[in-house]
Amino acid sequence: MTHHAPEDAAKWPRTTFVDGVAEGVTRAREIAGDRHVSIASADIARQALDLGLVDEVCISLVLVLLGNGIPYFADLTDAPHRFDDPTVIQGKGATHLWYRVRR
C-alpha cells in the first residue's frame, strides 16, 4: 500500500493501487480467493486490526535485537483487542504464535 500511485505505475502491471487500508484488504481478499492474505507492515497491520479486518495474528518470536524500527500495534485506537489462546509452532530458531481474533 502507498499513499499515492507513482506516475509510472504501468511498470508494475501485477500491482493494484487502492485508496486506503479497507479497500486494500478487500481487493487483496478478492485476488486471493480461498487463500490467505498476509499483511507484513506494522502500520498497515495496526490500521487493519483497528478496522476489524484481521482474522488472525501471527507473531514469530526470533531473538534478533534490531534497536529501532516501527513497533507492531503501537498506537491502536480501538484497543484493547482480544484473542483466543495461540496455536504454538516450534520452528528452527523461532517460535510462531497464531492467535485468532475474538469478535
Side-chain angles (χ1 to χ4, degrees), residues 21-62:
V21 173
E23 186 179 344
V25 171
T26 298
R27 184 70 185 116
R29 285 179 172 162
E30 290 169 358
I31 292 168
D34 62 351
R35 296 173 296 181
H36 292 277
V37 171
S38 296
I39 300 172
S41 161
D43 192 48
I44 301 298
R46 177 196 54 81
Q47 291 176 64
L49 187 62
D50 272 342
L51 290 169
L53 302 173
V54 175
D55 298 320
E56 295 178 330
V57 172
C58 177
I59 306 291
S60 295
L61 299 175
V62 181

Side-chain angles (χ1 to χ4, degrees), residues 41-91:
S41 161
D43 192 48
I44 301 298
R46 177 196 54 81
Q47 291 176 64
L49 187 62
D50 272 342
L51 290 169
L53 302 173
V54 175
D55 298 320
E56 295 178 330
V57 172
C58 177
I59 306 291
S60 295
L61 299 175
V62 181
L63 184 57
V64 177
L65 304 175
L66 300 174
N68 61 22
I70 300 172
Y72 273 77
F73 312 117
D75 303 320
L76 288 167
T77 58
D78 193 24
H81 293 278
R82 306 275 188 229
F83 302 89
D84 292 336
D85 287 338
T87 299
V88 180
I89 302 168
Q90 183 61 49

